[in-house]
Amino acid sequence: QSVLTQPPSVSAAPGQKVTISCSGSSSNIGNDYVSWYQQLPGTAPKLLIYDTDKRPSGIPDRFSGSKSGTSATLGITGLQTGDEADYYCGTWDSSLNTVVFGGGSKLTVL
Amino acid sequence: QLQLQESGPGLVKPSETLSLTCTVSGGSISSSSYYWGWIRQPPGKGLEWIGSIYYSGTTSYNPSLKSRVTISVDTSKNQFSLKLSSVTAADTAMYYCARHVARIEVNWFDPWGQGTLVTVSS
């Protein structure tokens, strides 16, 4: 059971928008920046969003991040079949003194 | 660009020590801005941070694994290593190394190595 809670699965049609939530507490998301990772099937995770809402070079602006209180959200617009992947949120937990990740959300583009 | 590559045995016997090395290329492990971390992912499950090390040797470990984990760095070889002792089947996982940005309120990993699968079995 992960410290950060994500929906196990989300789905949407090509071209549509989807959001993936990541719920935590005051000792993690409420106090620290959040990162998001995309893991395509059979590959290593790839940084998608850092510092809650910043995109690394090369990540299209279809991907966005935000935070409100103790929850963070990853948004993906203009969905493509190539976006089908597992998505993970991550941050530091000051009570546990460890990096924590969400359990992951599997995105299906119908 | 910066690349990381894990190496080590793919099969470890129960109760023995798992040893992996991460070789960094395209940049110096001695950069003052970064830690270097290990993350694992059991088959079909989520990500778990194991620990990270600074080039000076300063370490930070996941408390749940701390008693069994040692991470070390060899700046002359641009490598850092993981040792996990007394392994059980629960330690079977894909092990990734990654550059770790760790500052106050900030933690993220980029880039990641391709990962290496370690199976614990007799």
Side-chain angles (χ1 to χ4, degrees):
Chain A
Q1 192 166 344
S2 303
V3 172
L4 304 180
T5 302
Q6 297 182 233
S9 63
V10 295
S11 62
Q16 296 302 303
K17 174 182 178 178
V18 71
T19 59
I20 298 174
S21 61
C22 176
S23 179
S25 68
S26 58
S27 64
N28 43 66
I29 293 178
N31 201 43
D32 277 42
Y33 291 96
V34 178
S35 55
W36 288 91
Y37 305 87
Q38 176 192 59
Q39 187 174 32
L40 296 169
T43 69
K46 173 185 173 183
L47 180 68
L48 212 54
I49 297 288
Y50 68 99
D51 291 359
T52 300
D53 58 6
K54 295 182 176 59
R55 283 176 286 105
S57 174
I59 300 300
D61 60 6
R62 300 189 299 108
F63 296 91
S64 64
S66 63
K67 186 178 89 167
S68 178
T70 59
S71 290
T73 301
L74 173 70
I76 311 173
T77 60
L79 278 172
Q80 304 172 0
T81 55
D83 296 331
E84 288 199 332
D86 293 322
Y87 292 84
Y88 294 90
C89 56
T91 189
W92 178 263
D93 190 294
S94 58
S95 292
L96 300 174
N97 279 320
T98 185
V99 173
V100 291
F101 292 101
S105 297
K106 183 176 183 61
L107 169 63
T108 301
V109 181
L110 302 169
Chain B
Q1 75 278 21
L2 190 75
Q3 292 185 314
L4 293 86
Q5 178 69 58
E6 306 86 351
S7 60
L11 181 64
V12 181
K13 289 183 168 55
S15 79
E16 295 190 344
T17 296
L18 177 161
S19 296
L20 297 175
T21 295
C22 182
T23 301
V24 178
S25 60
S28 174
I29 202 169
S30 299
S31 168
S32 61
S33 302
Y34 304 107
Y35 277 71
W36 304 90
W38 289 98
I39 305 101
R40 70 180 183 178
Q41 183 175 34
K45 296 188 178 181
L47 303 170
E48 179 180 35
W49 175 66
I50 300 170
S52 298
I53 190 165
Y54 196 57
Y55 76 94
S56 63
T58 299
T59 53
S60 178
Y61 297 138
N62 185 326
S64 70
L65 297 169
K66 187 173 183 177
S67 64
R68 299 193 292 129
V69 173
T70 302
I71 297 176
S72 58
V73 63
D74 186 337
T75 55
S76 67
K77 294 182 179 179
N78 229 31
Q79 295 176 335
F80 62 106
S81 298
L82 168 70
K83 290 189 185 300
L84 181 66
S85 64
S86 305
V87 297
T88 69
D91 295 309
T92 292
M94 186 72 80
Y95 285 77
Y96 297 100
C97 60
R99 185 176 63 179
H100 182 185
V101 172
R103 301 190 292 269
I104 295 175
E105 301 182 351
V106 170
N107 280 273
W108 43 271
F109 298 90
D110 179 64
W112 297 55
Q114 66 183 31
T116 187
L117 179 62
V118 178
T119 301
V120 178
S121 174
S122 56

